[in-house]
mmCIF file of all heavy atoms in Angstrom:
data_model
loop_
_atom_site.group_PDB
_atom_site.id
_atom_site.type_symbol
_atom_site.label_atom_id
_atom_site.label_comp_id
_atom_site.label_asym_id
_atom_site.label_seq_id
_atom_site.Cartn_x
_atom_site.Cartn_y
_atom_site.Cartn_z
ATOM 1 N N THR H 1 25.344 5.288 172.027
ATOM 2 C CA THR H 1 26.519 5.118 171.176
ATOM 3 C C THR H 1 27.590 4.380 171.954
ATOM 4 O O THR H 1 27.914 4.738 173.091
ATOM 5 C CB THR H 1 27.037 6.468 170.656
ATOM 6 O OG1 THR H 1 28.301 6.258 170.006
ATOM 7 C CG2 THR H 1 27.228 7.493 171.765
ATOM 8 N N PHE H 2 28.127 3.341 171.339
ATOM 9 C CA PHE H 2 29.112 2.482 171.984
ATOM 10 C C PHE H 2 30.407 2.493 171.174
ATOM 11 O O PHE H 2 30.438 2.065 170.022
ATOM 12 C CB PHE H 2 28.580 1.048 172.092
ATOM 13 C CG PHE H 2 27.260 0.940 172.801
ATOM 14 C CD1 PHE H 2 26.073 0.851 172.083
ATOM 15 C CD2 PHE H 2 27.196 0.951 174.188
ATOM 16 C CE1 PHE H 2 24.849 0.754 172.734
ATOM 17 C CE2 PHE H 2 25.978 0.855 174.858
ATOM 18 C CZ PHE H 2 24.803 0.757 174.121
ATOM 19 N N ARG H 3 31.483 3.038 171.756
ATOM 20 C CA ARG H 3 32.826 2.958 171.176
ATOM 21 C C ARG H 3 32.910 3.531 169.761
ATOM 22 O O ARG H 3 33.622 2.985 168.912
ATOM 23 C CB ARG H 3 33.299 1.497 171.146
ATOM 24 C CG ARG H 3 33.158 0.744 172.454
ATOM 25 C CD ARG H 3 33.659 -0.673 172.278
ATOM 26 N NE ARG H 3 33.436 -1.493 173.443
ATOM 27 C CZ ARG H 3 34.272 -2.434 173.879
ATOM 28 N NH1 ARG H 3 35.389 -2.660 173.238
ATOM 29 N NH2 ARG H 3 33.998 -3.155 174.929
ATOM 30 N N SER H 4 32.236 4.622 169.509
ATOM 31 C CA SER H 4 32.252 5.206 168.168
ATOM 32 C C SER H 4 32.822 6.614 168.104
ATOM 33 O O SER H 4 33.204 7.075 167.016
ATOM 34 C CB SER H 4 30.820 5.239 167.596
ATOM 35 O OG SER H 4 30.322 3.937 167.385
ATOM 36 N N THR H 5 32.886 7.315 169.233
ATOM 37 C CA THR H 5 33.251 8.727 169.196
ATOM 38 C C THR H 5 34.655 8.952 168.653
ATOM 39 O O THR H 5 34.911 9.944 167.947
ATOM 40 C CB THR H 5 33.112 9.347 170.601
ATOM 41 O OG1 THR H 5 31.740 9.266 171.020
ATOM 42 C CG2 THR H 5 33.535 10.805 170.607
ATOM 43 N N HIS H 6 35.593 8.047 168.933
ATOM 44 C CA HIS H 6 36.960 8.237 168.422
ATOM 45 C C HIS H 6 36.972 8.277 166.897
ATOM 46 O O HIS H 6 37.711 9.054 166.293
ATOM 47 C CB HIS H 6 37.887 7.126 168.937
ATOM 48 C CG HIS H 6 37.480 5.749 168.499
ATOM 49 N ND1 HIS H 6 36.494 5.030 169.129
ATOM 50 C CD2 HIS H 6 37.933 4.960 167.492
ATOM 51 C CE1 HIS H 6 36.346 3.854 168.538
ATOM 52 N NE2 HIS H 6 37.200 3.790 167.531
ATOM 53 N N GLY H 7 36.154 7.442 166.252
ATOM 54 C CA GLY H 7 36.096 7.432 164.796
ATOM 55 C C GLY H 7 35.531 8.718 164.239
ATOM 56 O O GLY H 7 36.017 9.244 163.223
ATOM 57 N N TRP H 8 34.506 9.248 164.891
ATOM 58 C CA TRP H 8 33.924 10.521 164.449
ATOM 59 C C TRP H 8 34.932 11.652 164.590
ATOM 60 O O TRP H 8 35.010 12.533 163.740
ATOM 61 C CB TRP H 8 32.658 10.815 165.240
ATOM 62 C CG TRP H 8 31.596 9.766 165.103
ATOM 63 C CD1 TRP H 8 31.392 8.934 164.038
ATOM 64 C CD2 TRP H 8 30.586 9.441 166.066
ATOM 65 N NE1 TRP H 8 30.321 8.112 164.274
ATOM 66 C CE2 TRP H 8 29.800 8.393 165.505
ATOM 67 C CE3 TRP H 8 30.266 9.919 167.336
ATOM 68 C CZ2 TRP H 8 28.726 7.828 166.189
ATOM 69 C CZ3 TRP H 8 29.194 9.353 168.016
ATOM 70 C CH2 TRP H 8 28.437 8.329 167.446
ATOM 71 N N ILE H 9 35.714 11.628 165.678
ATOM 72 C CA ILE H 9 36.746 12.654 165.864
ATOM 73 C C ILE H 9 37.805 12.535 164.773
ATOM 74 O O ILE H 9 38.207 13.528 164.159
ATOM 75 C CB ILE H 9 37.383 12.523 167.259
ATOM 76 C CG1 ILE H 9 36.364 12.897 168.349
ATOM 77 C CG2 ILE H 9 38.626 13.397 167.359
ATOM 78 C CD1 ILE H 9 36.855 12.644 169.761
ATOM 79 N N ASN H 10 38.255 11.310 164.517
ATOM 80 C CA ASN H 10 39.308 11.102 163.525
ATOM 81 C C ASN H 10 38.892 11.559 162.134
ATOM 82 O O ASN H 10 39.721 12.013 161.335
ATOM 83 C CB ASN H 10 39.706 9.626 163.483
ATOM 84 C CG ASN H 10 40.503 9.197 164.706
ATOM 85 O OD1 ASN H 10 41.228 10.003 165.288
ATOM 86 N ND2 ASN H 10 40.364 7.950 165.116
ATOM 87 N N ARG H 11 37.597 11.437 161.822
ATOM 88 C CA ARG H 11 37.117 11.817 160.487
ATOM 89 C C ARG H 11 36.601 13.248 160.437
ATOM 90 O O ARG H 11 36.151 13.703 159.379
ATOM 91 C CB ARG H 11 36.052 10.817 160.021
ATOM 92 C CG ARG H 11 36.634 9.423 159.750
ATOM 93 C CD ARG H 11 35.644 8.513 159.066
ATOM 94 N NE ARG H 11 34.579 8.085 159.940
ATOM 95 C CZ ARG H 11 34.646 7.057 160.798
ATOM 96 N NH1 ARG H 11 35.791 6.378 160.917
ATOM 97 N NH2 ARG H 11 33.615 6.714 161.544
ATOM 98 N N GLY H 12 36.670 13.950 161.569
ATOM 99 C CA GLY H 12 36.408 15.374 161.562
ATOM 100 C C GLY H 12 34.962 15.810 161.645
ATOM 101 O O GLY H 12 34.667 16.992 161.451
ATOM 102 N N PHE H 13 34.041 14.877 161.952
ATOM 103 C CA PHE H 13 32.640 15.297 162.004
ATOM 104 C C PHE H 13 31.967 14.980 163.335
ATOM 105 O O PHE H 13 30.737 14.907 163.416
ATOM 106 C CB PHE H 13 31.826 14.712 160.846
ATOM 107 C CG PHE H 13 32.064 13.258 160.542
ATOM 108 C CD1 PHE H 13 31.675 12.264 161.427
ATOM 109 C CD2 PHE H 13 32.669 12.880 159.348
ATOM 110 C CE1 PHE H 13 31.862 10.926 161.136
ATOM 111 C CE2 PHE H 13 32.879 11.538 159.041
ATOM 112 C CZ PHE H 13 32.470 10.558 159.944
ATOM 113 N N ALA H 14 32.742 14.835 164.411
ATOM 114 C CA ALA H 14 32.149 14.555 165.720
ATOM 115 C C ALA H 14 31.153 15.629 166.160
ATOM 116 O O ALA H 14 30.072 15.297 166.666
ATOM 117 C CB ALA H 14 33.239 14.358 166.774
ATOM 118 N N PRO H 15 31.463 16.942 166.005
ATOM 119 C CA PRO H 15 30.477 17.943 166.422
ATOM 120 C C PRO H 15 29.142 17.795 165.695
ATOM 121 O O PRO H 15 28.075 17.949 166.303
ATOM 122 C CB PRO H 15 31.157 19.267 166.079
ATOM 123 C CG PRO H 15 32.632 18.962 166.148
ATOM 124 C CD PRO H 15 32.745 17.579 165.598
ATOM 125 N N ALA H 16 29.173 17.488 164.398
ATOM 126 C CA ALA H 16 27.933 17.323 163.637
ATOM 127 C C ALA H 16 27.147 16.116 164.118
ATOM 128 O O ALA H 16 25.908 16.143 164.168
ATOM 129 C CB ALA H 16 28.249 17.186 162.148
ATOM 130 N N VAL H 17 27.840 15.043 164.490
ATOM 131 C CA VAL H 17 27.149 13.854 164.973
ATOM 132 C C VAL H 17 26.491 14.124 166.321
ATOM 133 O O VAL H 17 25.327 13.763 166.547
ATOM 134 C CB VAL H 17 28.123 12.662 165.082
ATOM 135 C CG1 VAL H 17 27.424 11.459 165.709
ATOM 136 C CG2 VAL H 17 28.673 12.296 163.711
ATOM 137 N N TYR H 18 27.215 14.770 167.213
ATOM 138 C CA TYR H 18 26.627 15.066 168.525
ATOM 139 C C TYR H 18 25.437 16.010 168.384
ATOM 140 O O TYR H 18 24.449 15.900 169.117
ATOM 141 C CB TYR H 18 27.683 15.616 169.479
ATOM 142 C CG TYR H 18 28.383 14.501 170.225
ATOM 143 C CD1 TYR H 18 29.379 13.744 169.614
ATOM 144 C CD2 TYR H 18 28.027 14.178 171.527
ATOM 145 C CE1 TYR H 18 30.003 12.705 170.280
ATOM 146 C CE2 TYR H 18 28.636 13.137 172.204
ATOM 147 C CZ TYR H 18 29.624 12.395 171.579
ATOM 148 O OH TYR H 18 30.228 11.358 172.246
ATOM 149 N N GLN H 19 25.508 16.940 167.422
ATOM 150 C CA GLN H 19 24.366 17.827 167.197
ATOM 151 C C GLN H 19 23.172 17.047 166.656
ATOM 152 O O GLN H 19 22.023 17.301 167.039
ATOM 153 C CB GLN H 19 24.752 18.938 166.230
ATOM 154 C CG GLN H 19 23.721 20.063 166.160
ATOM 155 C CD GLN H 19 23.580 20.762 167.514
ATOM 156 O OE1 GLN H 19 24.532 21.331 168.040
ATOM 157 N NE2 GLN H 19 22.380 20.707 168.094
ATOM 158 N N ALA H 20 23.432 16.083 165.773
ATOM 159 C CA ALA H 20 22.349 15.263 165.234
ATOM 160 C C ALA H 20 21.688 14.438 166.335
ATOM 161 O O ALA H 20 20.454 14.270 166.350
ATOM 162 C CB ALA H 20 22.888 14.348 164.130
ATOM 163 N N MET H 21 22.488 13.923 167.264
ATOM 164 C CA MET H 21 21.926 13.146 168.365
ATOM 165 C C MET H 21 21.079 14.028 169.275
ATOM 166 O O MET H 21 20.024 13.604 169.770
ATOM 167 C CB MET H 21 23.047 12.456 169.146
ATOM 168 C CG MET H 21 23.790 11.405 168.331
ATOM 169 S SD MET H 21 24.937 10.348 169.266
ATOM 170 C CE MET H 21 26.218 11.514 169.725
ATOM 171 N N PHE H 22 21.526 15.254 169.476
ATOM 172 C CA PHE H 22 20.752 16.197 170.274
ATOM 173 C C PHE H 22 19.428 16.517 169.586
ATOM 174 O O PHE H 22 18.363 16.532 170.213
ATOM 175 C CB PHE H 22 21.561 17.485 170.479
ATOM 176 C CG PHE H 22 20.869 18.525 171.328
ATOM 177 C CD1 PHE H 22 21.012 18.521 172.704
ATOM 178 C CD2 PHE H 22 20.088 19.513 170.739
ATOM 179 C CE1 PHE H 22 20.381 19.480 173.495
ATOM 180 C CE2 PHE H 22 19.457 20.480 171.518
ATOM 181 C CZ PHE H 22 19.605 20.456 172.900
ATOM 182 N N ASN H 23 19.479 16.758 168.290
ATOM 183 C CA ASN H 23 18.286 17.170 167.562
ATOM 184 C C ASN H 23 17.194 16.110 167.570
ATOM 185 O O ASN H 23 16.003 16.432 167.674
ATOM 186 C CB ASN H 23 18.649 17.526 166.118
ATOM 187 C CG ASN H 23 19.505 18.771 166.008
ATOM 188 O OD1 ASN H 23 19.620 19.550 166.946
ATOM 189 N ND2 ASN H 23 20.150 18.942 164.860
ATOM 190 N N VAL H 24 17.573 14.835 167.440
ATOM 191 C CA VAL H 24 16.557 13.782 167.325
ATOM 192 C C VAL H 24 15.884 13.488 168.661
ATOM 193 O O VAL H 24 14.774 12.957 168.704
ATOM 194 C CB VAL H 24 17.177 12.494 166.732
ATOM 195 C CG1 VAL H 24 17.987 11.724 167.776
ATOM 196 C CG2 VAL H 24 16.083 11.593 166.135
ATOM 197 N N LEU H 25 16.507 13.849 169.773
ATOM 198 C CA LEU H 25 15.953 13.549 171.091
ATOM 199 C C LEU H 25 14.831 14.517 171.465
ATOM 200 O O LEU H 25 14.879 15.703 171.169
ATOM 201 C CB LEU H 25 17.041 13.610 172.156
ATOM 202 C CG LEU H 25 17.940 12.388 172.266
ATOM 203 C CD1 LEU H 25 19.140 12.693 173.156
ATOM 204 C CD2 LEU H 25 17.168 11.186 172.816
ATOM 205 N N LYS H 26 13.837 13.974 172.168
ATOM 206 C CA LYS H 26 12.805 14.812 172.771
ATOM 207 C C LYS H 26 13.427 15.599 173.924
ATOM 208 O O LYS H 26 14.416 15.163 174.525
ATOM 209 C CB LYS H 26 11.679 13.937 173.315
ATOM 210 C CG LYS H 26 10.998 13.049 172.297
ATOM 211 C CD LYS H 26 10.043 12.082 172.987
ATOM 212 C CE LYS H 26 9.428 11.108 172.001
ATOM 213 N NZ LYS H 26 8.550 10.103 172.664
ATOM 214 N N PRO H 27 12.857 16.744 174.273
ATOM 215 C CA PRO H 27 13.292 17.423 175.498
ATOM 216 C C PRO H 27 13.177 16.470 176.686
ATOM 217 O O PRO H 27 12.166 15.787 176.857
ATOM 218 C CB PRO H 27 12.316 18.592 175.618
ATOM 219 C CG PRO H 27 11.901 18.871 174.209
ATOM 220 C CD PRO H 27 11.829 17.519 173.539
ATOM 221 N N GLY H 28 14.249 16.376 177.479
ATOM 222 C CA GLY H 28 14.295 15.420 178.577
ATOM 223 C C GLY H 28 14.852 14.069 178.182
ATOM 224 O O GLY H 28 15.039 13.203 179.034
ATOM 225 N N GLY H 29 15.135 13.880 176.880
ATOM 226 C CA GLY H 29 15.666 12.608 176.401
ATOM 227 C C GLY H 29 17.112 12.391 176.814
ATOM 228 O O GLY H 29 17.828 13.321 177.194
ATOM 229 N N VAL H 30 17.553 11.134 176.711
ATOM 230 C CA VAL H 30 18.862 10.713 177.220
ATOM 231 C C VAL H 30 19.804 10.317 176.093
ATOM 232 O O VAL H 30 19.403 9.625 175.145
ATOM 233 C CB VAL H 30 18.707 9.522 178.186
ATOM 234 C CG1 VAL H 30 20.063 8.884 178.515
ATOM 235 C CG2 VAL H 30 18.020 9.964 179.464
ATOM 236 N N LEU H 31 21.047 10.763 176.198
ATOM 237 C CA LEU H 31 22.146 10.268 175.374
ATOM 238 C C LEU H 31 23.044 9.430 176.257
ATOM 239 O O LEU H 31 23.603 9.924 177.244
ATOM 240 C CB LEU H 31 22.949 11.426 174.771
ATOM 241 C CG LEU H 31 24.283 11.036 174.106
ATOM 242 C CD1 LEU H 31 24.048 10.145 172.896
ATOM 243 C CD2 LEU H 31 25.082 12.282 173.720
#
C-alpha cells in the first residue's frame, strides 16, 4: 500500500482495511 492509509483513517475504516490485508496474506506473508 502506497500513500493510502491517511484516506482510510479519514473515512473511518482503516482498522477494517488493515484486518483485510492481514486476512488475505499467507502465514509469513509481508505487508
Side-chain angles (χ1 to χ4, degrees):
T1 171
F2 304 98
R3 310 180 186 216
S4 294
T5 298
H6 61 279
W8 301 332
I9 292 173
N10 287 330
R11 292 190 288 277
F13 44 68
V17 175
Y18 271 78
Q19 192 63 61
M21 295 190 292
F22 182 88
N23 292 345
V24 78
L25 280 168
K26 301 172 184 177
V30 169
L31 169 64

